[in-house]
Amino acid sequence: MRPGDIVEEFLKNGRVAIITRGRFAGKKVVIVKVMDDGSKTHPFGHALVTGVERYPLKVTRRMGKQRIAKRSKVKPFIKVINFNHLMPTRYTLEMESLKGVINNDTFKEPSQREEAKKTIKKTFEEKHSAGKNKWFFTPLRF
């Protein structure tokens, strides 16, 4: 049994995790695809994740429609992350629509990556406006 084996059983598709290292440390992500054995490009256990780079801002009842629309925007990111840098949470997020959009080929061309980000942004904003999963769309407090 390896040290990472215990963590790997919690890291399943749809699980919300928090990144602990690097540029996106402290950001919440949803695991889209899990690669336990690794691949040629990443020879370690890793996960393909999508997360929120810029969280939506607070909205009050006094604000107009344009201001609410502007403050409700989400900026997503896509990344391949080592299991050691992910901390799983008890939350899950249903992301079945993203399975066909994001895969290992997404990272080969910048245009594919941008298209994937656009579709992720759309789904995240729909989930946010629906009022579901409020915890996912709020930044962690440090």
Side-chain angles (χ1 to χ4, degrees):
M1 187 167 148
R2 295 184 333 233
D5 286 346
I6 297 167
V7 173
E8 290 173 13
E9 68 188 43
F10 297 115
L11 297 173
K12 299 266 190 272
N13 296 347
R15 174 72 58 189
V16 175
I18 297 170
I19 300 177
T20 57
R21 300 266 169 87
R23 176 180 172 191
F24 297 110
K27 302 291 183 187
K28 296 172 189 166
V29 294
V30 179
I31 298 172
V32 178
K33 192 172 182 185
V34 177
M35 278 75 119
D36 289 326
D37 302 327
S39 61
K40 282 190 175 182
T41 55
H42 301 282
F44 46 82
H46 62 278
L48 196 90
V49 298
T50 179
V52 181
E53 187 174 340
R54 193 180 319 126
Y55 293 97
L57 299 170
K58 186 177 178 183
V59 173
T60 61
R61 202 175 287 159
R62 300 178 59 180
M63 295 179 187
K65 287 182 181 177
Q66 287 180 330
R67 193 165 185 194
I68 289 172
K70 193 168 187 174
R71 292 176 72 93
S72 298
K73 289 191 175 160
V74 176
K75 185 178 180 186
F77 67 90
I78 311 167
K79 204 160 176 59
V80 174
I81 297 186
N82 190 331
F83 285 151
N84 296 337
H85 306 310
L86 286 176
M87 185 174 75
T89 64
R90 64 182 178 176
Y91 299 100
T92 55
L93 202 64
E94 200 59 43
M95 300 303 272
E96 292 298 322
S97 60
L98 296 180
K99 290 221 177 178
V101 176
I102 305 169
N103 53 26
N104 289 339
D105 300 332
T106 308
F107 297 99
K108 290 183 179 167
E109 283 224 17
S111 60
Q112 287 179 324
R113 195 179 183 120
E114 292 303 315
E115 287 298 317
K117 279 187 190 177
K118 284 178 186 174
T119 55
I120 292 165
K121 179 182 172 114
K122 191 175 176 186
T123 56
F124 276 171
E125 285 177 357
E126 285 172 2
K127 285 195 181 292
H128 176 67
S129 63
K132 304 275 184 184
N133 312 101
K134 281 188 177 182
W135 180 81
F136 183 73
F137 295 106
T138 55
L140 285 176
R141 296 182 303 139
F142 282 89

